[in-house]
């Protein structure tokens, strides 16, 4: 309850000095406590992504679970099933637009980066995205694992 009093006081002070937030609601303030679907919708509104597409990618990559480690020989982690080199590349690009420290181990930040990435044309970093865009089936050769794969996904 104390946090809401502080927020209310901050809003009153901002309005007295002519600062008006675009929109502040409890949903915005507590987005980290929302479901992953709600978080995706939240980020999709910010970054201009198709929330339905992002959710389908996440569902196919991890089933919406953050504590999974699968695919790519265990190198892809978290709800967005992202490898560390890909994370570093996207985080660097993200930071050109939004100066913000992101945490690879955070479900919230992984959902943020995948939603932003898909909105900015980096969706092909995820196999599930390529599979969805290819009608539910995607074949490729993994240079890391030196093997051919065919992936099927839910549309």
């Amino acid at each position: 309850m104390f946090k809401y009093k502080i927020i209310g006081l901050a809003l009153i002070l901002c309005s007295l000095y002519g600062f008006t937030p675009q929109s502040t609601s409890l949903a915005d303030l507590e987005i980290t406590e929302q479901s992953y679907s709600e978080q995706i919708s939240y980020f999709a509104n910010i970054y201009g992504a198709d929330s339905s597409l992002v959710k389908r990618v996440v569902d196919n990559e991890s089933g919406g679970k953050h504590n999974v480690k699968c695919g790519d020989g265990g190198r892809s982690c978290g709800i967005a099933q992202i490898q560390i080199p890909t994370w570093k590349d996207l985080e660097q690009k993200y930071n050109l637009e939004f100066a913000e420290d992101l945490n690879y181990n955070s479900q919230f930040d992984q959902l943020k980066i995948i939603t932003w990435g898909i909105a900015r044309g980096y969706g092909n970093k995820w196999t599930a995205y390529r599979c969805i865009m290819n009608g539910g089936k995607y074949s490729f050769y993994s240079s890391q694992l030196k093997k051919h794969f065919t992936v099927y996904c839910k549309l």
Side-chain angles (χ1 to χ4, degrees):
M1 191 53 113
F2 180 72
K3 120 174 138 175
Y4 300 120
K5 289 180 181 178
I6 295 292
I7 293 168
L9 180 60
L11 291 172
I12 291 168
L13 290 173
C14 286
S15 65
L16 287 174
Y17 289 99
F19 301 109
T20 54
Q22 290 180 349
S23 74
T24 303
S25 69
L26 289 181
D28 291 344
L29 298 173
E30 297 175 352
I31 192 63
T32 58
E33 298 171 21
Q34 303 296 317
S35 72
Y36 78 96
S37 294
E38 291 167 317
Q39 290 177 11
I40 289 169
S41 294
Y42 177 82
F43 293 130
N45 286 331
I46 293 171
Y47 305 130
D50 177 350
S51 62
S52 172
L53 174 60
V54 176
K55 185 175 181 316
R56 284 183 286 150
V57 172
V58 169
D59 286 344
N60 279 286
E61 288 287 352
S62 67
K65 296 178 180 131
H66 184 64
N67 59 349
V68 297
K69 195 175 219 180
C70 61
D72 303 322
R75 290 185 299 273
S76 297
C77 300
I79 196 163
Q81 286 296 289
I82 189 167
Q83 293 183 11
I84 289 176
T86 303
W87 173 268
K88 288 179 180 178
D89 177 50
L90 291 176
E91 182 182 30
Q92 184 179 30
K93 291 173 174 138
Y94 178 88
N95 279 316
L96 294 174
E97 191 172 342
F98 302 96
E100 181 180 351
D101 289 329
L102 299 177
N103 180 349
Y104 174 75
N105 296 308
S106 162
Q107 171 179 313
F108 188 74
D109 286 351
Q110 282 206 8
L111 291 174
K112 185 182 291 186
I113 205 85
I114 193 172
T115 307
W116 172 86
I118 288 173
R120 297 304 183 269
Y122 301 114
N124 63 347
K125 302 281 186 182
W126 287 271
T127 303
Y129 175 88
R130 288 178 271 166
C131 186
I132 290 166
M133 301 311 272
N134 200 42
K137 178 181 175 184
Y138 178 69
S139 297
F140 65 100
Y141 177 78
S142 169
S143 57
Q144 289 176 329
L145 299 175
K146 310 274 189 257
K147 192 173 169 185
H148 286 278
F149 291 92
T150 297
V151 177
Y152 298 89
C153 62
K154 297 177 198 172
L155 297 176

